[in-house]
Amino acid sequence: MKKLQGAHLSKPIIPDLLMTPSDQGDVDLDVDFAADRGNWTGKLDFLLSCIGYCVGLGNVWRFPYRAYTNGGGAFLVPYFLMLAICGIPLFFLELSLGQFSSLGPLAVWKISPLFKGAGAAMLLIVGLVAIYYNMIIAYVLFYLFASLTSNLPWEHCGNWWNTDLCLEHRGSKDGNGALPLNLTSTVSPSEEYWSRYVLHIQGSRGIGSPGQIRWNLCLCLLLAWVIVFLCILKGVKSSGKVVYFTATFPYLILLMLLVRGVTLPGAWKGIQFYLTPQFHHLLSSKVWIEAALQIFYSLGVGFGGLLTFASYNTFHQNIYRDTFIVTLGNAITSILAGFAIFSVLGYMSQELGVPVDQVAKAGPGLAFVVYPQAMTMLPLSPFWSFLFFFMLLTLGLDSQFAFLETIVTAVTDEFPYYLRPKKAVFSGLICVAMYLMGLVLTTDGGMYWLVLLDDYSASFGLMVVVITTCLAVTRVYGIQRFCRDIHMMLGFKPGLYFRACWLFLSPATLLALLVYSIVKYQPSEYGSYRFPAWAELLGILMGLLSCLMIPAGMLVAVLREEGSLWEEPHLCC
């Protein structure tokens, strides 16, 4: 620090709280910090990890559904506009913060210890998401193994889990192409396979009585955590190599599914339904909100994954270029996934003789009911089913790597001398703990708990965290100082577009999203099941807890600091 203080008249001072290892000189700190911490070992490790993190399950089962319900092709107008206002600027902000500091989501708040609670809130959110996200991967593994057969088990009725309502919808048209009148009161084999065999949800009376553990799901969840642990065993050095496969192979499968889908009879019917512009929807505020939500959650901003990945970069990595590659690539992938999904749904609607909107669903309903049912209508159905679920597996694993790496990095950066030499052991303990906490999701009523976690763990709490981060960096740390830091890394300062978004447009948009989500709040539900009041309260408290960590962190920072805030201005700056 003496050298830096003596040279303050000759050159700009690097903020001592955000000095990179290469800038520390003779400062009495751990000189081998970066070497001990580790870095990406290949040029494409970081880029592919970011692509794998952002391009996940939501691109396949949420974007296409949101697009067709919010104006079809017209939805792309607010989608790309929100990408420009929120997605790209916030993505670049988080990468810049991580790369300049070479620190995780907790330690990075040395820039402003008052806001360290935002980092703790990130960890709480990403921890809750990681618990249920790996359960979804376990479901995918279950279906992947079930596809290794000559006849898919959800193709026909007559199994022990089927009821009298089960009807094989394939070929249920009469000679005039009309469906039987009682079709609406029937259930497809794929739906009963999912609900009565995989979930065994009939064994639970609700979220308050989860029932018994499903040992087949329990083993699939264990396998999912073992895969994740083995891939993050050596940190970014191992996960950075795995993503060369998991981030690229889904595109090959998606291309195969797309080519197969568009060659099916009736495919154009589904694609037309997916992309026909309905511009009158643009007059609705709901469409703009849905576009912003899709961008916000799809890019994974605020979870700490981007910040963590960037912290392992070299100081001069061109994250400006990488930002545009990842964000635009993510958007294009979502659109292509819509073609692959809706081409098959168009074929399915023609086979069943029903409108496309009656077979189109979002979320688990698409991945585990509708699309598997569509696979049974194709020749070589087990092959296409295996490809589809293998694609979902690789898409999900990349995001899960990021979630776990975020938690491990954040904690080891806080206690480097104790945990960094034992990072592999610590990672294993985290995986074991999360596996045990996720066992409730493997019970008969586990889906109720998964829905509750999905609805509340990363809802309004995540928006509050991102708004706080944006304001703390630009207003407290200072937009000029932040732009100067980026200039040191990249050789240029962010232009007016980025500064305007960081200062005004992005926080204002996120605030509007937050207000909208509160005003339009709807209780959780799963099918016809309505969650009891205590479960709703538990979910709301789950979201509030992450918000409360921010003022709690401020209180801790004040109590730890000697003197008053007025006497210690460096607490904020």
Side-chain angles (χ1 to χ4, degrees):
M1 282 302 299
K2 292 180 180 179
K3 288 188 175 184
L4 289 174
Q5 290 170 348
H8 74 280
L9 295 177
S10 58
K11 60 181 181 179
I13 301 175
I14 302 173
D16 58 309
L17 292 176
L18 261 190
M19 288 171 59
T20 63
S22 59
D23 294 320
Q24 289 174 2
D26 297 327
V27 181
D28 188 19
L29 293 172
D30 183 8
V31 194
D32 297 323
F33 180 79
D36 292 343
R37 194 171 183 273
N39 289 99
W40 300 107
T41 55
K43 292 184 178 180
L44 292 177
D45 291 13
F46 168 70
L47 182 61
L48 290 177
S49 293
C50 285
I51 291 175
Y53 169 57
C54 296
V55 179
L57 298 174
N59 297 71
V60 174
W61 73 23
R62 284 213 174 106
F63 175 84
Y65 185 83
R66 269 191 171 140
Y68 102 80
T69 54
N70 291 284
F75 180 73
L76 297 180
V77 175
Y79 179 76
F80 279 103
L81 192 58
M82 289 300 170
L83 177 64
I85 293 175
C86 275
I88 294 174
L90 293 175
F91 194 96
F92 186 46
L93 181 143
E94 195 167 329
L95 290 187
S96 301
L97 197 58
Q99 180 165 305
F100 189 82
S101 65
S102 291
L103 295 170
L106 281 177
V108 75
W109 288 103
K110 289 178 181 179
I111 65 169
S112 181
L114 265 181
F115 293 92
K116 192 170 185 177
M122 279 185 183
L123 290 192
L124 174 63
I125 291 170
V126 80
L128 292 172
V129 171
I131 291 172
Y132 81 80
Y133 202 85
N134 226 25
M135 189 64 230
I136 298 175
I137 295 177
Y139 292 143
V140 172
L141 286 171
F142 191 100
Y143 272 81
L144 192 68
F145 294 138
S147 300
L148 299 174
T149 178
S150 57
N151 293 304
L152 295 175
W154 56 85
E155 185 172 358
H156 301 291
C157 298
N159 303 289
W160 66 261
W161 59 82
N162 293 126
T163 65
D164 294 337
L165 295 176
C166 182
L167 177 67
E168 296 176 24
H169 291 176
R170 182 182 180 183
S172 57
K173 293 183 289 186
D174 61 23
N176 299 321
L179 286 167
L181 295 176
N182 64 345
L183 182 62
T184 54
S185 61
T186 62
V187 182
S188 67
S190 62
E191 188 168 346
E192 289 203 338
Y193 181 82
W194 164 243
S195 63
R196 297 183 58 83
Y197 180 70
V198 179
L199 300 180
H200 199 258
I201 205 164
Q202 70 272 19
S204 169
R205 295 193 305 273
I207 192 170
S209 57
Q212 298 180 343
I213 287 180
R214 301 279 294 156
W215 291 108
N216 45 12
L217 290 180
C218 184
L219 292 175
C220 285
L221 182 62
L222 177 63
L223 178 59
W225 278 112
V226 169
I227 293 172
V228 171
F229 170 68
L230 292 176
C231 291
I232 67 164
L233 182 60
K234 296 182 179 179
V236 294
K237 290 183 178 180
S238 55
S239 66
K241 298 307 176 188
V242 175
V243 294
Y244 278 83
F245 174 76
T246 57
T248 56
F249 194 67
Y251 285 95
L252 176 61
I253 301 179
L254 186 63
L255 183 62
M256 293 174 66
L257 291 173
L258 176 62
V259 172
R260 184 68 185 101
V262 296
T263 56
L264 293 170
W268 177 246
K269 182 181 178 183
I271 294 173
Q272 189 177 23
F273 189 83
Y274 166 50
L275 283 183
T276 299
Q278 302 173 42
F279 289 104
H280 65 277
H281 281 271
L282 298 182
L283 300 177
S284 169
S285 60
K286 176 180 177 292
V287 173
W288 295 85
I289 295 293
E290 288 286 335
L293 286 173
Q294 179 63 32
I295 288 293
F296 184 68
Y297 288 110
S298 174
L299 292 178
V301 175
F303 289 96
L306 298 173
L307 192 152
T308 300
F309 282 162
S311 71
Y312 291 103
N313 279 342
T314 56
F315 189 62
H316 299 292
Q317 169 79 18
N318 191 351
I319 50 175
Y320 181 79
R321 174 202 61 201
D322 295 341
T323 293
F324 284 95
I325 292 175
V326 176
T327 53
L328 294 177
N330 176 70
I332 293 171
T333 303
S334 297
I335 296 171
L336 287 178
F339 280 101
I341 295 297
F342 271 88
S343 60
V344 174
L345 294 185
Y347 164 73
M348 184 176 173
S349 73
Q350 177 167 302
E351 287 292 300
L352 298 178
V354 297
V356 179
D357 59 354
Q358 289 190 23
V359 295
K361 290 185 179 181
L366 172 67
F368 301 117
V369 177
V370 176
Y371 213 82
Q373 182 184 357
M375 294 296 99
T376 64
M377 301 178 180
L378 298 176
L380 300 175
S381 55
F383 170 75
W384 294 108
S385 177
F386 181 85
L387 281 185
F388 175 71
F389 287 109
F390 193 76
M391 179 185 71
L392 292 186
L393 175 65
T394 51
L395 287 174
L397 283 176
D398 291 329
S399 301
Q400 190 70 3
F401 296 160
F403 296 151
L404 265 293
E405 192 61 54
T406 298
I407 297 171
V408 173
T409 296
V411 180
T412 52
D413 280 352
E414 280 292 289
F415 308 99
Y417 299 104
Y418 300 103
L419 294 179
R420 193 163 291 146
K422 303 174 182 177
K423 191 174 180 179
V425 176
F426 180 64
S427 299
L429 292 175
I430 293 290
C431 290
V432 170
M434 289 195 163
Y435 168 69
L436 294 176
M437 286 187 282
L439 284 178
V440 68
L441 304 178
T442 66
T443 60
D444 296 334
M447 177 53 67
Y448 299 130
W449 285 98
L450 191 147
V451 169
L452 192 72
L453 284 168
D454 186 40
D455 285 350
Y456 292 102
S457 62
S459 55
F460 58 89
L462 183 63
M463 297 181 199
V464 171
V465 169
V466 177
I467 293 171
T468 302
T469 302
C470 197
L471 294 178
V473 171
T474 58
R475 308 284 182 170
V476 181
Y477 183 68
I479 187 68
Q480 295 302 326
R481 184 185 294 182
F482 187 59
C483 289
R484 186 190 67 191
D485 295 343
I486 294 175
H487 181 265
M488 291 173 58
M489 289 190 297
L490 305 181
F492 63 89
K493 288 186 177 181
L496 179 62
Y497 158 65
F498 280 103
R499 293 201 300 271
C501 287
W502 290 335
L503 284 170
F504 307 108
L505 295 178
S506 296
T509 304
L510 290 176
L511 187 60
L513 280 179
L514 179 61
V515 172
Y516 181 85
S517 65
I518 295 173
V519 171
K520 296 292 185 179
Y521 167 78
Q522 291 183 341
S524 295
E525 58 183 42
Y526 181 71
S528 60
Y529 178 76
R530 300 295 182 269
F531 284 68
W534 67 265
E536 291 294 329
L537 180 61
L538 180 64
I540 294 171
L541 290 175
M542 194 190 307
L544 285 176
L545 184 58
S546 57
C547 299
L548 292 175
M549 283 191 165
I550 298 172
M554 291 180 175
L555 181 61
V556 171
V558 171
L559 294 176
R560 284 183 174 179
E561 194 70 16
E562 295 181 3
S564 68
L565 286 176
W566 300 104
E567 295 169 345
E568 303 289 344
H570 69 274
L571 183 67
C572 292
C573 307

